Amino acid sequence: MTAWCLLIPLCRQIQKGSTPYKVIPVATGQLTEKEELIQNLLAQVVEQFSRVFKINELKTEVANHLAMLEKRVELEGLKVAEIEKCKSDIKKMRDEMAARNSRTNCPCKYSFLDENKKLIPRRDVPSYPKYILSQETIEALRKPTFDVWLWEPNEMLSCLEHMYHDLGLVKDFKINPIILKRWLLCIHDNYRNNPFHNFRHCFCVTQMMYSMISLCSLQVKLSQTDILMLMTASVCHDLDHPGYNNTYQINAQTELAVRYNDISPLENHHCAVAFQIFAQPECNIFSNIDQEQFKRIRQGMITLILATDMARHAEILDSFKEILDNFDYSNEEHVTQLKMVLIKCCDISNEVRPMEVAEPWVDCLLEEYFMQSDREKSEGLPVAPFMDRDKVTKPTAQIGFLKFVLIPMFEIITKLFPVVEEVLLQPLWESRDRYEQLKQIDDTMKELQKKKNESLASEGRENTIMDTKIL
């Protein structure tokens, strides 16, 4: 008798692509028609079971694939979110950098252009490193030849701090050393990153004042209060300078010009920012002096900072000339006139320094001038020839300034302090001669170029005539 075929489940042995059920014959022999029919039927059942398991296997495979896709989508979504966050962070950084270009980010900021802003000084102890100045540096710091380009901002802050200690101002006016540090930091942060009117210019002017105090023995001739006024006015004289001069402010009718009625708008602004800083206890180096003395210092500083407006140059110099022959150090008005001329000398004293120190300042100033003249052209405002990049050269700009502004002013100071001639006036004469030589070279080169162009033009005309005759 022929046995039935057994349908054996192989569930535990299912593998991808294999059939989960097999038909295994248990006996071999001749099948009857009925047995053959049953076997065929069983084969069909097995085939149906196999299809069902393949479908389930396919479903599992699809489900796994979908899970993987969902995970990828989730990861891609996270990436998109991170990209958007990065874009947002980059935008914030760009905005912050743009803000720093016009005004470095300092808690001590104050803007007269925004009534809602308040001065919030740093309340922590300033942390810029206190550099131990070498004896060589201390001696160099007292001389006009000091190279102001070699120092980083923190080092310049330490040098300024040293000046206040060295002159006895910290001791005599009971200035809290921590407040002095905080005030200097706030001063640094309130100078903009202009090509010329920046914190390095502030340091340059103050260092020149410090060297003139030493050179002219001013501590013997003037009071400590006068020395404090001179030094502090030098530090504050260009605070928050926007990089565009008074002429632009007035012609463009900026908010500063409107606020100060076209009268020295920038210098008035520098004074106002300075005393907004002093109004904060954390930055007030005058906190230990009495009210009357503070009023005198405040008025003296305002007078000195306003004197740096070049529009008043002739007026101030003429007034000083009138009292020069009978100058009296006990006369307060005479001393005030002297201090005004001293801060003016320091403000525009770059050419007094060695050529390698002075010349980069000319490039910085011309860059700032050209920025202004380009803006004036775009806004349809008048442009001064000495600021126009299409008209001015370095030698022409400096020769006129040296001959008609710097040299006459230092010659006047020399009458009161003869020592100035060799140390400060002689370098100005040498600088004038050097720029005149450069101008001669420029003029010669221009003349040669002009002749060359004329010669080429003449040859071109002759060739044209010859070609015409040949034709």
Side-chain angles (χ1 to χ4, degrees):
M1 177 178 174
T2 306
W4 295 99
C5 293
L6 298 177
L7 191 64
I8 303 174
L10 300 173
C11 295
R12 294 181 184 178
Q13 301 177 23
I14 294 175
Q15 294 181 5
K16 188 176 179 181
S18 64
T19 304
Y21 287 87
K22 291 184 180 180
V23 177
I24 301 175
V26 295
T28 58
Q30 191 67 32
L31 297 176
T32 64
E33 184 177 346
K34 186 177 180 181
E35 289 172 339
E36 187 177 353
L37 182 63
I38 292 171
Q39 189 171 356
N40 288 338
L41 182 61
L42 286 171
Q44 289 177 15
V45 170
V46 168
E47 187 179 351
Q48 292 297 324
F49 270 104
S50 295
R51 286 179 182 176
V52 169
F53 270 86
K54 282 184 179 178
I55 289 170
N56 288 336
E57 187 179 321
L58 182 61
K59 282 182 179 179
T60 303
E61 190 175 339
V62 169
N64 290 338
H65 189 59
L66 283 173
M68 186 174 68
L69 287 175
E70 284 174 357
K71 191 169 184 179
R72 283 184 62 185
V73 168
E74 185 180 354
L75 288 172
E76 292 298 325
L78 288 173
K79 286 182 183 178
V80 170
E82 286 198 10
I83 289 169
E84 290 303 318
K85 185 178 181 301
C86 286
K87 286 181 179 178
S88 175
D89 290 344
I90 289 168
K91 184 178 183 302
K92 285 179 183 177
M93 289 173 68
R94 283 178 176 165
D95 291 343
E96 184 179 347
M97 287 174 68
R100 286 191 177 195
N101 281 336
S102 61
R103 176 186 288 277
T104 51
N105 186 19
C106 169
C108 302
K109 287 297 167 201
Y110 179 88
S111 174
F112 271 73
L113 306 183
D114 186 350
E115 293 292 347
N116 296 321
K117 277 194 178 180
K118 301 274 185 178
L119 202 71
I120 306 174
R122 301 181 184 184
R123 298 182 182 274
D124 59 318
V125 176
S127 58
Y128 73 83
K130 176 69 170 68
Y131 291 89
I132 305 301
L133 303 181
S134 68
Q135 191 58 39
E136 183 183 4
T137 300
I138 289 171
E139 290 173 6
L141 200 58
R142 295 192 185 103
K143 297 176 183 177
T145 52
F146 187 80
D147 190 344
V148 296
W149 295 106
L150 298 178
W151 307 87
E152 295 298 321
N154 284 343
E155 295 169 323
M156 289 188 281
L157 287 167
S158 285
C159 287
L160 289 171
E161 187 181 351
H162 167 80
M163 293 176 200
Y164 272 75
H165 282 278
D166 184 56
L167 291 170
L169 301 177
V170 173
K171 179 182 176 183
D172 291 347
F173 296 96
K174 298 180 176 61
I175 299 173
N176 184 322
I178 296 299
I179 290 179
L180 177 63
K181 281 176 174 283
R182 190 180 288 114
W183 172 68
L184 287 171
L185 274 169
C186 195
I187 290 295
H188 167 269
D189 291 338
N190 277 278
Y191 273 91
R192 301 195 194 188
N193 295 324
N194 299 314
F196 185 90
H197 291 100
N198 50 40
F199 178 69
R200 194 174 297 277
H201 169 66
C202 152
F203 175 73
C204 194
V205 173
T206 308
Q207 187 274 325
M208 184 60 72
M209 181 63 77
Y210 178 65
S211 66
M212 287 194 76
I213 290 169
S214 174
L215 177 68
C216 303
S217 303
L218 292 181
Q219 283 191 290
V220 177
K221 300 174 174 68
L222 304 178
S223 70
Q224 279 292 81
T225 302
D226 290 324
I227 299 298
L228 181 64
M229 287 181 199
L230 285 168
M231 288 294 293
T232 310
S234 298
V235 170
C236 299
H237 83 284
D238 269 334
L239 274 169
D240 196 42
H241 195 298
Y244 300 93
N245 68 13
N246 280 332
T247 302
Y248 174 81
Q249 304 295 326
I250 293 166
N251 288 339
Q253 277 297 281
T254 64
E255 197 163 344
L256 284 178
V258 172
R259 181 182 295 274
Y260 295 111
N261 303 309
D262 296 348
I263 301 170
S264 303
L266 287 180
E267 289 71 25
N268 274 296
H269 180 56
H270 305 325
C271 289
V273 173
F275 283 95
Q276 283 293 328
I277 292 172
F278 289 130
Q280 305 304 312
E282 294 84 355
C283 294
N284 185 11
I285 60 172
F286 304 133
S287 59
N288 290 324
I289 62 176
D290 61 60
Q291 193 62 28
E292 285 304 314
Q293 193 174 19
F294 173 73
K295 284 182 181 179
R296 185 184 166 203
I297 291 171
R298 170 176 159 79
Q299 188 53 57
M301 282 184 58
I302 291 170
T303 300
L304 294 183
I305 293 173
L306 292 180
T308 62
D309 183 357
M310 286 303 293
R312 298 182 58 203
H313 179 77
E315 165 213 328
I316 292 169
L317 230 55
D318 289 343
S319 297
F320 187 64
K321 286 178 188 175
E322 290 176 6
I323 63 170
L324 193 56
D325 292 336
N326 301 303
F327 190 86
D328 182 1
Y329 283 103
S330 64
N331 186 317
E332 189 174 340
E333 181 58 32
H334 286 197
V335 171
T336 298
Q337 292 286 337
L338 170 61
K339 289 186 294 184
M340 291 166 72
V341 174
L342 285 171
I343 196 169
K344 284 177 60 59
C345 286
C346 295
D347 188 24
I348 55 177
S349 64
N350 288 324
E351 289 299 329
V352 165
R353 300 181 186 274
M355 181 189 71
E356 62 273 13
V357 180
E359 194 163 3
W361 281 116
V362 182
D363 297 324
C364 293
L365 185 61
L366 288 177
E367 183 183 347
E368 197 166 294
Y369 279 174
F370 295 157
M371 283 171 56
Q372 175 171 321
S373 62
D374 290 345
R375 185 166 178 173
E376 287 169 332
K377 289 174 185 178
S378 70
E379 294 177 2
L381 298 173
V383 178
F386 70 89
M387 300 179 79
D388 192 335
R389 68 172 72 245
D390 299 322
K391 296 179 181 178
V392 72
T393 64
K394 192 187 295 187
T396 56
Q398 289 305 97
I399 290 170
F401 189 62
L402 282 158
K403 288 175 71 172
F404 303 113
V405 178
L406 272 177
I407 291 175
M409 183 167 63
F410 276 89
E411 284 175 341
I412 291 170
I413 283 290
T414 301
K415 292 180 180 178
L416 199 59
F417 306 110
V419 69
V420 165
E421 180 172 338
E422 181 183 353
V423 181
L424 303 180
L425 194 52
Q426 184 65 37
L428 293 178
W429 290 333
E430 292 171 0
S431 180
R432 175 200 60 195
D433 295 342
R434 184 170 61 85
Y435 279 114
E436 284 181 340
Q437 289 174 0
L438 288 173
K439 185 178 182 299
Q440 287 177 2
I441 293 170
D442 284 352
D443 291 344
T444 302
M445 294 298 293
K446 286 178 183 176
E447 189 63 31
L448 289 173
Q449 187 63 43
K450 182 180 177 183
K451 287 180 180 179
K452 183 179 179 181
N453 292 340
E454 288 175 353
S455 175
L456 290 172
S458 176
E459 288 178 8
R461 286 194 296 272
E462 289 176 3
N463 290 336
T464 303
I465 292 169
M466 291 294 292
D467 291 344
T468 305
K469 285 181 178 179
I470 291 171
L471 291 172

